[in-house]
Amino acid sequence: FLFVFLAPGAVVVSLFLNDGVMTPSALVAIALAHGLAIALVVYATAGISGGHVNPAVTIAAVITGKMRIAKGALFVAAQVVGAISGSLLLAAVLPDAMEAFGNLGAHGLGEGVSAGQGYLTEIVVSFALVFVVLATAMDPKGTAGNLAPLAIGLTVLVDHLIAVPLT
């Protein structure tokens, strides 16, 4: 809920402030907002749900045996309901003048990017996120400890620097 409200909200506001143009400063603002928002939400929910925010991470936890299927299904359902609720709230609070900017932060292919290129981009950045989560937050031999949410946030930040212009 919070992540989907905060991060896509930053997309809309950043594009609105730049007259709908994806400038380098808008890209950095969007990447920072996503990275910081996920780090904060993971830190805040670590004691509740283990910091599970993204269905891809939860599905990876189920596949690797770190979570039971039934619990994973409940987590994914809660994540989807939270995401829908966050996007509805974002749509409700944005002035009409802002709604056209960034399509509420929804993804879309960049100019000249094919569907295959976009798909491959999303596979790679999703892999990076899931890999870092598994290596820092879920691996008992991992060295990140309480810094895992920061590593996750930095991964999301870097992912957005490359993926936003493409997808």
Side-chain angles (χ1 to χ4, degrees), residues 29-167:
I30 289 166
L32 279 169
H34 278 79
L36 293 172
I38 200 71
L40 295 172
V41 172
V42 171
Y43 267 120
T45 60
I48 299 166
S49 68
H52 285 255
V53 177
N54 185 321
V57 170
T58 301
I59 291 167
V62 169
I63 290 170
T64 59
K66 302 204 180 288
M67 181 181 283
R68 294 186 326 274
I69 292 174
K71 186 176 182 180
L74 289 173
F75 273 38
V76 169
Q79 292 160 351
V80 169
V81 169
I84 291 169
S85 300
S87 63
L88 290 173
L89 179 61
L90 181 60
V93 302
L94 287 175
D96 290 341
M98 282 190 176
E99 278 194 34
F101 293 92
N103 295 322
L104 293 180
H107 289 250
L109 293 174
E111 189 175 327
V113 178
S114 72
Q117 291 168 318
Y119 187 68
L120 185 57
T121 299
E122 288 297 320
I123 288 173
V124 173
V125 297
S126 294
F127 171 81
L129 173 61
V130 171
F131 175 70
V132 169
V133 170
L134 289 173
T136 62
M138 294 186 190
D139 186 350
K141 294 183 276 180
T143 59
N146 288 335
L147 293 177
L150 179 60
I152 294 164
L154 290 172
T155 304
V156 169
L157 188 157
V158 172
D159 281 355
H160 278 75
L161 287 173
I162 188 169
V164 166
L166 300 174
T167 64

Side-chain angles (χ1 to χ4, degrees), residues 2-18 22 25-37 90 94 98 101-102 104-106 160 164:
L2 282 175
F3 180 74
V4 171
F5 179 81
L6 297 172
V11 172
V12 174
V13 172
S14 295
L15 292 178
F16 175 76
L17 293 174
N18 287 291
M22 178 60 73
S25 62
L27 174 60
V28 170
I30 289 166
L32 279 169
H34 278 79
L36 293 172
L90 181 60
L94 287 175
M98 282 190 176
F101 293 92
L104 293 180
H160 278 75
V164 166

